[in-house]
CSV table of all heavy atoms in Angstrom, one decimal:
chain,number,residue,atom,x,y,z
A,36,PRO,N,127.4,16.5,78.5
A,36,PRO,CA,128.7,17.2,79.1
A,36,PRO,C,128.7,18.6,78.5
A,36,PRO,O,129.4,19.4,79.2
A,36,PRO,CB,129.8,16.3,78.8
A,36,PRO,CG,129.3,15.4,77.7
A,36,PRO,CD,127.9,15.3,77.8
A,37,HIS,N,128.2,18.8,77.4
A,37,HIS,CA,128.4,20.2,76.8
A,37,HIS,C,127.7,21.3,77.6
A,37,HIS,O,128.1,22.4,77.7
A,37,HIS,CB,127.9,20.2,75.3
A,37,HIS,CG,126.5,20.0,75.2
A,37,HIS,ND1,125.9,18.7,75.3
A,37,HIS,CD2,125.4,20.7,75.1
A,37,HIS,CE1,124.6,18.8,75.2
A,37,HIS,NE2,124.3,20.0,75.0
A,38,ILE,N,126.6,20.8,78.4
A,38,ILE,CA,125.9,21.8,79.1
A,38,ILE,C,126.8,22.2,80.4
A,38,ILE,O,126.8,23.3,80.7
A,38,ILE,CB,124.5,21.2,79.6
A,38,ILE,CG1,123.6,21.1,78.4
A,38,ILE,CG2,123.9,22.1,80.6
A,38,ILE,CD1,122.2,20.6,78.6
A,39,TYR,N,127.3,21.2,81.0
A,39,TYR,CA,128.3,21.5,82.0
A,39,TYR,C,129.4,22.4,81.6
A,39,TYR,O,129.7,23.3,82.3
A,39,TYR,CB,128.8,20.1,82.6
A,39,TYR,CG,129.8,20.2,83.7
A,39,TYR,CD1,129.5,20.7,85.0
A,39,TYR,CD2,131.1,19.8,83.5
A,39,TYR,CE1,130.5,20.8,86.0
A,39,TYR,CE2,132.0,19.8,84.4
A,39,TYR,CZ,131.7,20.4,85.7
A,39,TYR,OH,132.7,20.5,86.7
A,40,LYS,N,130.0,22.0,80.5
A,40,LYS,CA,131.1,22.8,80.0
A,40,LYS,C,130.7,24.2,79.8
A,40,LYS,O,131.5,25.2,80.0
A,40,LYS,CB,131.7,22.2,78.7
A,40,LYS,CG,132.5,20.9,79.0
A,40,LYS,CD,133.3,20.5,77.9
A,40,LYS,CE,134.1,19.2,78.2
A,40,LYS,NZ,133.4,18.0,78.0
A,41,GLU,N,129.5,24.4,79.2
A,41,GLU,CA,129.1,25.7,78.8
A,41,GLU,C,128.8,26.6,80.2
A,41,GLU,O,129.2,27.7,80.3
A,41,GLU,CB,127.7,25.6,78.1
A,41,GLU,CG,127.0,26.9,77.9
A,41,GLU,CD,127.9,27.9,76.9
A,41,GLU,OE1,128.8,27.4,76.1
A,41,GLU,OE2,127.5,29.1,76.9
A,42,PHE,N,128.3,25.8,81.2
A,42,PHE,CA,128.1,26.5,82.5
A,42,PHE,C,129.5,27.1,83.0
A,42,PHE,O,129.6,28.1,83.4
A,42,PHE,CB,127.5,25.5,83.5
A,42,PHE,CG,127.3,26.2,84.9
A,42,PHE,CD1,126.4,27.1,85.1
A,42,PHE,CD2,128.1,25.7,86.0
A,42,PHE,CE1,126.2,27.7,86.3
A,42,PHE,CE2,128.0,26.2,87.1
A,42,PHE,CZ,127.0,27.3,87.4
A,43,LEU,N,130.5,26.2,83.0
A,43,LEU,CA,131.8,26.6,83.4
A,43,LEU,C,132.4,27.8,82.6
A,43,LEU,O,133.0,28.6,83.2
A,43,LEU,CB,132.8,25.4,83.3
A,43,LEU,CG,132.6,24.3,84.3
A,43,LEU,CD1,133.7,23.3,84.2
A,43,LEU,CD2,132.4,24.8,85.7
A,44,SER,N,132.1,27.7,81.3
A,44,SER,CA,132.6,28.7,80.5
A,44,SER,C,131.9,30.1,80.8
A,44,SER,O,132.5,31.2,80.8
A,44,SER,CB,132.3,28.3,79.0
A,44,SER,OG,131.9,29.4,78.3
A,45,ILE,N,130.6,30.1,81.2
A,45,ILE,CA,129.8,31.4,81.6
A,45,ILE,C,130.5,31.9,82.9
A,45,ILE,O,130.8,33.1,82.9
A,45,ILE,CB,128.3,31.0,81.8
A,45,ILE,CG1,127.6,30.6,80.5
A,45,ILE,CG2,127.7,32.1,82.5
A,45,ILE,CD1,126.2,30.1,80.7
A,46,LEU,N,130.8,31.0,83.8
A,46,LEU,CA,131.4,31.5,85.0
A,46,LEU,C,132.8,32.1,84.7
A,46,LEU,O,133.2,33.0,85.3
A,46,LEU,CB,131.7,30.2,86.0
A,46,LEU,CG,130.4,29.7,86.5
A,46,LEU,CD1,130.8,28.6,87.6
A,46,LEU,CD2,129.5,30.7,87.2
A,47,HIS,N,133.4,31.4,83.8
A,47,HIS,CA,134.8,31.9,83.5
A,47,HIS,C,134.8,33.3,82.9
A,47,HIS,O,135.6,34.2,83.3
A,47,HIS,CB,135.5,30.9,82.5
A,47,HIS,CG,137.0,31.2,82.2
A,47,HIS,ND1,137.9,31.1,83.1
A,47,HIS,CD2,137.5,31.7,81.1
A,47,HIS,CE1,139.1,31.4,82.6
A,47,HIS,NE2,138.9,31.8,81.3
A,48,ASN,N,133.9,33.5,82.0
A,48,ASN,CA,133.7,34.8,81.4
A,48,ASN,C,133.4,35.9,82.4
A,48,ASN,O,133.9,37.0,82.4
A,48,ASN,CB,132.7,34.8,80.3
A,48,ASN,CG,133.1,34.1,79.1
A,48,ASN,OD1,134.3,33.9,78.8
A,48,ASN,ND2,132.1,33.7,78.3
A,49,TYR,N,132.6,35.4,83.3
A,49,TYR,CA,132.2,36.4,84.4
A,49,TYR,C,133.5,36.8,85.3
A,49,TYR,O,133.7,37.9,85.6
A,49,TYR,CB,131.1,35.8,85.3
A,49,TYR,CG,130.8,36.6,86.5
A,49,TYR,CD1,130.5,37.9,86.5
A,49,TYR,CD2,130.9,35.9,87.8
A,49,TYR,CE1,130.2,38.6,87.6
A,49,TYR,CE2,130.6,36.7,88.9
A,49,TYR,CZ,130.3,38.1,88.9
A,49,TYR,OH,130.0,38.8,90.0
A,50,GLN,N,134.2,35.7,85.6
A,50,GLN,CA,135.4,36.0,86.4
A,50,GLN,C,136.4,36.9,85.7
A,50,GLN,O,137.2,37.5,86.3
A,50,GLN,CB,136.0,34.7,86.9
A,50,GLN,CG,135.1,34.2,88.1
A,50,GLN,CD,135.3,32.7,88.3
A,50,GLN,OE1,136.1,32.1,87.7
A,50,GLN,NE2,134.4,32.1,89.1
A,51,GLN,N,136.4,36.7,84.4
A,51,GLN,CA,137.4,37.6,83.6
A,51,GLN,C,136.8,39.0,83.5
A,51,GLN,O,137.3,39.9,82.7
A,51,GLN,CB,137.6,37.0,82.1
A,51,GLN,CG,138.3,35.5,82.1
A,51,GLN,CD,139.5,35.5,82.9
A,51,GLN,OE1,140.4,36.4,82.7
A,51,GLN,NE2,139.7,34.5,83.8
A,52,GLU,N,135.6,39.2,84.1
A,52,GLU,CA,135.0,40.5,84.0
A,52,GLU,C,134.6,40.9,82.6
A,52,GLU,O,134.5,42.0,82.2
A,52,GLU,CB,135.9,41.6,84.7
A,52,GLU,CG,136.2,41.2,86.1
A,52,GLU,CD,137.0,42.4,86.8
A,52,GLU,OE1,136.6,43.5,86.5
A,52,GLU,OE2,137.9,42.1,87.5
A,53,GLN,N,134.2,40.0,81.9
A,53,GLN,CA,133.7,40.2,80.4
A,53,GLN,C,132.1,40.3,80.5
A,53,GLN,O,131.6,40.6,79.5
A,53,GLN,CB,134.2,39.1,79.5
A,53,GLN,CG,135.7,39.1,79.3
A,53,GLN,CD,136.1,37.8,78.7
A,53,GLN,OE1,135.3,37.0,78.2
A,53,GLN,NE2,137.4,37.5,78.6
A,54,GLN,N,131.5,40.0,81.5
A,54,GLN,CA,130.1,40.0,81.5
A,54,GLN,C,129.6,40.5,82.8
A,54,GLN,O,130.2,40.4,83.9
A,54,GLN,CB,129.6,38.6,81.2
A,54,GLN,CG,129.8,38.1,79.9
A,54,GLN,CD,129.2,36.8,79.6
A,54,GLN,OE1,129.1,35.9,80.5
A,54,GLN,NE2,128.5,36.7,78.5
A,59,VAL,N,125.2,37.1,82.7
A,59,VAL,CA,125.4,35.8,83.3
A,59,VAL,C,124.2,35.1,83.6
A,59,VAL,O,124.0,33.9,83.1
A,59,VAL,CB,126.4,35.8,84.5
A,59,VAL,CG1,126.4,34.5,85.2
A,59,VAL,CG2,127.8,36.3,84.2
A,62,ARG,N,122.3,34.0,80.4
A,62,ARG,CA,122.8,32.8,79.8
A,62,ARG,C,122.6,31.6,80.6
A,62,ARG,O,122.3,30.5,80.0
A,62,ARG,CB,124.4,33.0,79.6
A,62,ARG,CG,124.8,34.1,78.6
A,62,ARG,CD,126.3,34.2,78.3
A,62,ARG,NE,126.8,32.9,77.8
A,62,ARG,CZ,128.1,32.6,77.7
A,62,ARG,NH1,128.9,33.5,78.1
A,62,ARG,NH2,128.6,31.5,77.3
A,63,VAL,N,122.7,31.7,81.9
A,63,VAL,CA,122.4,30.5,82.7
A,63,VAL,C,120.8,30.1,82.6
A,63,VAL,O,120.5,29.0,82.6
A,63,VAL,CB,122.8,30.7,84.1
A,63,VAL,CG1,122.3,29.5,85.0
A,63,VAL,CG2,124.3,30.8,84.3
A,66,LEU,N,120.4,28.3,79.5
A,66,LEU,CA,121.1,27.0,79.6
A,66,LEU,C,120.2,26.0,80.4
A,66,LEU,O,120.1,24.8,80.1
A,66,LEU,CB,122.4,27.1,80.3
A,66,LEU,CG,123.4,26.0,80.1
A,66,LEU,CD1,123.8,25.7,78.7
A,66,LEU,CD2,124.7,26.3,81.0
A,114,ALA,N,135.8,26.2,92.3
A,114,ALA,CA,135.0,25.2,91.5
A,114,ALA,C,135.3,25.3,89.9
A,114,ALA,O,135.5,24.3,89.3
A,114,ALA,CB,133.5,25.4,91.7
A,115,GLN,N,135.4,26.5,89.5
A,115,GLN,CA,135.6,26.7,88.1
A,115,GLN,C,137.0,26.3,87.6
A,115,GLN,O,137.2,25.9,86.5
A,115,GLN,CB,135.4,28.2,87.8
A,115,GLN,CG,135.5,28.6,86.3
A,115,GLN,CD,136.8,29.2,86.0
A,115,GLN,OE1,137.4,29.9,86.8
A,115,GLN,NE2,137.4,28.8,84.9
A,116,VAL,N,137.9,26.3,88.5
A,116,VAL,CA,139.3,25.9,88.2
A,116,VAL,C,139.4,24.4,88.2
A,116,VAL,O,140.5,23.8,88.1
A,116,VAL,CB,140.4,26.6,89.1
A,116,VAL,CG1,141.7,26.6,88.4
A,116,VAL,CG2,139.9,27.9,89.5
Side-chain angles (χ1 to χ4, degrees):
H37 63 281
I38 293 183
Y39 173 69
K40 289 195 176 82
E41 176 64 20
F42 177 72
L43 292 187
S44 139
I45 292 170
L46 292 184
H47 185 70
N48 286 340
Y49 170 56
Q50 283 160 7
Q51 301 300 313
E52 300 184 42
Q53 293 164 8
Q54 294 191 313
V59 168
R62 288 185 65 190
V63 172
L66 195 61
Q115 181 262 319
V116 201

